[in-house]
Amino acid sequence: MKRCFYCTRKPIVYLRYADLQLCEIHFINYLENRVRKTIEKYNMIKSGDKILIAVSGGKDSTTLLHILYKLAKEYNFILHGLTIDLGIERYRSYIQVAINNYKKLGVNYTIFDLKKEYGFSLDDAVKVFTNRKPCSICGIIKRYIINEYAYDNNFDRIATGHTLDDITGLLLFHILRGNISYLPKLSPVLETKHKMVTRIKPLIETYEKDIELYARLKSFSIDTNKCPYYHNAIISFYKRIMDKIERKSPSTKILFLRSTLKRINPYVKGILEIQNIKMCKKCGMPTTKEICSFCRIRQVTLNGQQVK
Ligand code: AMP
Ligand code: FES
Ligand code: ZN
Ligand code: ZN
């Protein structure tokens, strides 16, 4: 009879990439340890850190919130949640889900209302930038707000829920296009530079399938609604290709991630050094242009002109 690798209980999962059958208890331990090992291996957290976790209400960042909450005492750090209300009219459920999780754990949090703070919503911007993928505009807005909030409030680190699947999908996409200068942004830890707060990805070595199972076993409240703009995400196409490769050849994702990181790491600092960083003329945040992408999106959207 099949049994768990560590005990005599019945297995609930077989992890092909590790050739492991695990019962519920040992799977939960395994996943939490995997995240702990990632944090330690890449030196993601220091004692006394003030960490801002960006929570979208989805399975990945919600799971990260629960795991970091568990680790906060062990590693001695302060955890604060940030959820951005992007102002997507047909997609608001994630905000309440995030609040429910913060409240359940007793984690302090901020809901950042884009429309209220900056006068425009993602819906407004999408109507104006008809030639751009909504997800790319959304990405610029999210990165800007999360960094600005962390910087203004003296956070030491920003934790996001990016998974092994996200990052290998992005790696494939950028490598195929030769966008080498983008690769450093996919590192597990992106160090502070100028006014950019250090970003960490504690789930970078964890498979989404495992996160999903963990979240289900733990009965987390998770937003399963999809953003109406999501189907435009080109990255999901590359993630599906990586899924196919992984099915044929288990553990490819983790090997791809580690081997690529090893090779790009020596260049990361160099690439970031040679980027000609200036201060945005409007907001003072770092950018490679005169006016940063966020301020440009905001300015054009508020002016209401159509960009074709
Ligand atoms: P995505 O860009 O949707 O793949 O999300 C990547 C990560 O960004 C998530 O794991 C979260 O940590 C963070 N994130 C996404 N959406 C939001 C949001 N609305 N508010 C705060 N953080 C978010
Ligand atoms: Fe960013 Fe949908 S949440 S485009
Ligand atoms: Zn077991
Ligand atoms: Zn700016």
Side-chain angles (χ1 to χ4, degrees):
M1 200 187 90
K2 284 184 180 172
R3 38 168 278 182
C4 166
F5 181 77
Y6 295 108
C7 72
T8 54
R9 273 183 292 262
K10 226 175 114 186
I12 56 144
V13 66
Y14 171 58
L15 307 178
R16 277 184 80 200
Y17 60 88
D19 191 21
L20 268 183
Q21 297 196 113
L22 299 172
C23 70
E24 179 168 338
I25 293 171
H26 285 110
F27 170 74
I28 287 172
N29 282 348
Y30 176 86
L31 192 118
E32 289 170 358
N33 274 331
R34 200 170 169 96
V35 180
R36 193 184 271 117
K37 272 191 205 152
T38 305
I39 291 174
E40 288 174 6
K41 178 169 153 194
Y42 297 106
N43 268 324
M44 288 186 173
I45 295 175
K46 286 201 313 281
S47 171
D49 271 348
K50 231 179 113 181
I51 297 182
L52 183 71
I53 174 169
V55 179
S56 68
K59 64 178 184 342
D60 307 326
S61 53
T62 301
T63 295
L64 182 61
L65 172 69
H66 284 261
I67 294 181
L68 286 186
Y69 171 78
K70 252 188 145 169
L71 295 177
K73 268 212 184 99
E74 187 181 325
Y75 289 120
N76 184 36
F77 61 82
I78 293 165
L79 193 60
H80 185 98
L82 175 69
T83 299
I84 305 167
D85 177 351
L86 291 152
I88 304 171
E89 208 186 302
R90 288 177 296 147
Y91 180 52
R92 308 201 50 74
S93 48
Y94 68 93
I95 301 162
Q96 194 52 50
V97 171
I99 294 174
N100 293 345
N101 281 289
Y102 293 135
K103 286 195 170 157
K104 187 167 180 202
L105 296 171
V107 169
N108 290 329
Y109 67 93
T110 302
I111 304 296
F112 189 100
D113 185 329
L114 180 66
K115 181 93 177 181
K116 211 159 112 196
E117 302 292 334
Y118 280 107
F120 75 103
S121 64
L122 183 64
D123 283 345
D124 297 335
V126 168
K127 278 187 204 129
V128 171
F129 287 88
T130 48
N131 65 333
R132 300 228 348 221
K133 295 249 189 304
C135 274
S136 84
I137 298 173
C138 176
I140 291 168
I141 295 173
K142 282 191 293 204
R143 270 194 303 279
Y144 183 92
I145 302 292
I146 294 168
N147 185 68
E148 187 200 36
Y149 186 88
Y151 183 78
D152 287 347
N153 294 285
N154 296 317
F155 281 92
D156 300 293
R157 273 138 226 272
I158 294 164
T160 57
H162 290 99
T163 61
L164 177 60
D165 308 61
D166 290 328
I167 300 301
T168 49
L170 283 162
L171 273 175
L172 183 65
F173 174 78
H174 288 293
I175 288 172
L176 291 180
R177 289 177 175 225
N179 295 339
I180 304 301
S181 64
Y182 191 87
L183 301 185
K185 294 194 178 137
L186 306 178
S187 303
V189 179
L190 197 58
E191 293 292 344
T192 311
K193 201 137 207 286
H194 306 287
K195 291 181 176 174
M196 301 297 287
V197 178
T198 301
R199 278 183 266 160
I200 60 171
K201 306 179 186 76
L203 299 181
I204 196 167
E205 296 207 343
T206 304
Y207 284 85
E208 261 173 40
K209 246 169 68 191
D210 294 352
I211 295 170
E212 208 175 313
L213 176 60
Y214 179 87
R216 192 148 33 89
L217 294 172
K218 291 275 186 179
S219 309
F220 294 152
S221 153
I222 280 176
D223 183 38
T224 50
N225 293 319
K226 279 256 175 283
C227 164
Y229 299 126
Y230 186 72
H231 62 276
N232 284 333
I234 182 96
I235 290 309
S236 59
F237 170 73
Y238 285 86
K239 282 174 77 171
R240 285 203 304 273
I241 293 178
M242 285 307 303
D243 286 341
K244 279 192 181 162
I245 300 174
E246 179 77 22
R247 270 199 296 277
K248 272 259 179 244
S249 171
S251 78
T252 297
K253 285 187 190 179
I254 193 77
L255 294 172
F256 181 39
L257 178 90
R258 287 181 185 157
S259 62
T260 315
L261 286 180
K262 217 187 253 167
R263 285 193 178 83
I264 64 166
N265 262 347
Y267 302 107
V268 167
K269 283 208 171 81
I271 289 173
L272 294 175
E273 292 299 333
I274 55 169
Q275 281 178 351
N276 190 7
I277 302 288
K278 306 172 195 156
M279 295 301 144
C280 167
K281 285 204 169 131
K282 285 211 167 284
C283 71
M285 292 309 256
T287 173
T288 50
K289 306 175 199 131
E290 293 293 304
I291 292 178
C292 76
S293 305
F294 175 82
C295 285
R296 179 165 181 273
I297 288 171
R298 177 168 185 247
Q299 193 178 8
V300 173
T301 306
L302 292 180
N303 286 343
Q305 69 211 60
Q306 288 265 318
V307 182
K308 292 251 164 66

